[in-house]
Amino acid sequence: MASFRELLAATKAEIREVDTDGGATALAAGATLVDVREPDETAQGVVPGSVTIVRGNLEAQIENRVPDKSTPLVVMCAGGVRSAFAAKSLAELGYTDVVSMDGGFNKWKDEGREWAAPQTLDGAQRNRYSRHLLLPEVGEEGQLKLLDAKVLLLGAGGLGSPAALYLAAAGVGTIGIVDMDVVDESNLQRQILHNLDRVGERKVDSAKKTLTAMNPDLEVITYDERLGANNILEILEGYDVVIDGADNFPSRYILNDASVKLGIPVVHGSIFRFEGQITVFDPLDGPTYRDLLPEPPPPELAPSCAEAGVLGVLPGIVGSIQALEAIKLILGLGDSLKGRLVAFDALEMSFREYKIPVDPANEVTHANRDRFDVVELDGLCMPAFTANVG
């Protein structure tokens, strides 16, 4: 039987190995660093941007963390032994550009190269988010991303209520809420952030009470003001994702134009009687609201939003999907609804998907962000259901 030393020598003969200089060069060129050390080791420090997977879980988790097998990988452990065996395993799994970094993190750190003490979850957070931590696609790294994320909700009403509740429960660290309305008894049929005791309260205050009672990790920032062209850029600045729960065209168009200027994705939702729609507008990677609806309808075709009614449970379904899409964007998971509009019919219990093409005539784009201004569109209020879909 071969000794460990002989087995290591044979393994190193089958892989490519680089020193820390070579590892740094590869990382600078865009390679992904895979750190296979144990949690007690990574707790002492990590290289920023590295993908941490315990060596014993590598084969089970790597394809979820790095799905493209042509991605250049630099594998690192403490000294270069475990990384050699890991590099061989990755090659056997089909990864085509893998090197092991000799000397590992210890040498990297001793040479004064960039490293940082990682964020970690405390005991209470590990218990709270334990079901997320069991998902290889989320894990501690993903949960920390959620805790660092900032999501802005446009509205604390029918769509904003379920979206906010699920974002708060998932551990999104900062939730902003824009709403200048008060809680009315007629809201309670669908706006589950609020209750009878809070009728007459400002909606943002009621929402904050509900969310912070649910999750002490959460910071809720409230904007008890009308969203307009004069303040929207300032409000949106710094958020990672916006969830659109507006019920009128003026808000949707100024939201679109501001998000395009700032390059922030918007998870759009709309509801009307028994029907709902959801899509993702990403000005950096796909169509936007003006690609779907280049121009608003004339005022005479836009009746009051309060006239048509809505089935109370419908916004719960649509808002929950909006929260899901926001979490997917934050974590980089799955296929988002960029360029796809999902239409839900509650009476038929059916989902239909439509493609949203990019309109080449649309000049309100991120590339043209310095050539247009965010302006008001007044006198329009109607769910946006007549759309440019393919």
Side-chain angles (χ1 to χ4, degrees):
M1 177 181 291
S3 68
F4 178 79
R5 193 179 297 273
E6 291 171 333
L7 184 59
L8 177 60
T11 298
K12 288 195 172 190
E14 296 180 37
I15 65 169
R16 289 188 295 141
E17 197 171 37
V18 296
D19 59 13
T20 50
D21 282 334
T25 298
L27 296 178
T32 296
L33 181 64
V34 180
D35 188 335
V36 297
R37 292 177 298 153
E38 296 294 317
D40 62 323
E41 295 175 290
T42 56
Q44 305 305 312
V46 294
V47 178
S50 57
V51 174
T52 57
I53 306 176
V54 173
R55 172 65 190 95
N57 297 335
L58 183 66
E59 288 82 355
Q61 296 185 7
I62 187 64
E63 291 182 351
N64 289 321
R65 304 289 295 280
V66 186
D68 184 355
K69 293 187 176 181
S70 66
T71 303
L73 301 179
V74 177
V75 190
M76 182 184 72
C77 64
V81 175
R82 282 169 291 173
S83 63
F85 291 108
K88 181 180 178 181
S89 297
L90 290 170
E92 291 170 347
L93 288 172
Y95 288 86
T96 59
D97 189 356
V98 184
V99 296
S100 171
M101 190 167 73
D102 187 37
F105 181 75
N106 292 341
K107 186 178 180 183
W108 180 280
K109 182 178 178 181
D110 289 343
E111 291 173 342
R113 299 180 188 275
E114 184 182 10
W115 67 279
Q119 289 181 284
T120 57
L121 301 175
D122 62 30
Q125 290 173 326
R126 287 185 177 279
N127 185 47
R128 174 183 289 273
Y129 306 119
S130 60
R131 300 305 188 272
H132 277 177
L133 301 183
L134 292 171
L135 294 170
E137 297 86 350
V138 182
E140 183 167 359
E141 182 180 351
Q143 190 60 56
L144 289 168
K145 285 183 180 179
L146 290 173
L147 288 166
D148 285 340
K150 300 179 67 176
V151 177
L152 180 69
L153 295 167
L154 181 52
L159 295 176
S161 287
L165 286 168
Y166 273 108
L167 291 172
V172 170
T174 302
I175 295 178
I177 304 175
V178 183
D179 202 309
M180 62 172 293
D181 202 358
V182 298
V183 179
D184 184 83
E185 198 167 345
S186 66
N187 302 148
L188 304 182
Q189 162 251 17
R190 63 202 177 282
Q191 298 181 17
I192 56 176
L193 276 173
H194 317 295
N195 60 48
L196 196 58
D197 292 338
R198 297 183 192 161
V199 170
E201 280 192 31
R202 309 304 298 180
K203 280 188 178 178
V204 291
D205 295 335
S206 173
K208 184 171 183 175
K209 289 178 183 177
T210 301
L211 298 176
T212 53
M214 170 184 286
N215 192 339
D217 291 334
L218 180 65
E219 179 184 4
V220 178
I221 302 172
T222 59
Y223 304 89
D224 189 2
E225 55 190 292
R226 177 186 178 274
L227 191 69
N230 63 318
N231 63 4
I232 189 168
L233 289 171
E234 180 181 353
I235 290 175
L236 262 63
E237 187 76 50
Y239 283 94
D240 301 303
V241 183
V242 179
I243 290 187
D244 175 14
D247 64 352
N248 62 82
F249 277 119
S251 294
R252 286 178 179 158
Y253 278 94
I254 63 171
L255 172 61
N256 174 82
D257 296 356
S259 69
V260 169
K261 268 187 172 290
L262 297 173
I264 302 173
V266 173
V267 183
H268 168 80
S270 58
I271 51 175
F272 180 73
R273 293 172 61 83
F274 301 97
E275 301 174 22
Q277 295 182 345
I278 316 98
T279 188
V280 172
F281 299 121
D282 187 347
L284 302 182
D285 183 28
T288 66
Y289 191 66
R290 286 189 183 270
D291 293 302
L292 178 69
L293 285 168
E295 298 291 340
E300 63 270 17
L301 297 181
S304 168
C305 301
E307 290 178 359
V310 62
L311 186 68
V313 73
L314 177 66
I317 297 168
V318 174
S320 296
I321 296 175
Q322 288 181 279
L324 174 61
E325 286 297 306
I327 290 171
K328 285 165 58 182
L329 288 172
I330 293 165
L331 298 179
L333 289 180
D335 296 325
S336 83
L337 287 178
K338 296 176 186 179
R340 299 184 292 149
L341 183 143
V342 170
F344 172 61
D345 188 316
L347 295 183
E348 294 180 358
M349 202 57 193
S350 64
F351 289 86
R352 294 182 175 87
E353 182 178 305
Y354 303 91
K355 299 296 183 184
I356 304 176
V358 173
D359 183 357
N362 177 21
E363 296 183 354
V364 182
T365 65
H366 188 66
N368 291 338
R369 58 190 178 277
D370 296 327
R371 303 178 188 173
F372 66 86
D373 296 318
V374 179
V375 298
E376 301 280 355
L377 294 173
D378 294 321
L380 299 169
C381 185
M382 174 182 174
F385 268 71
T386 303
N388 175 28
V389 293

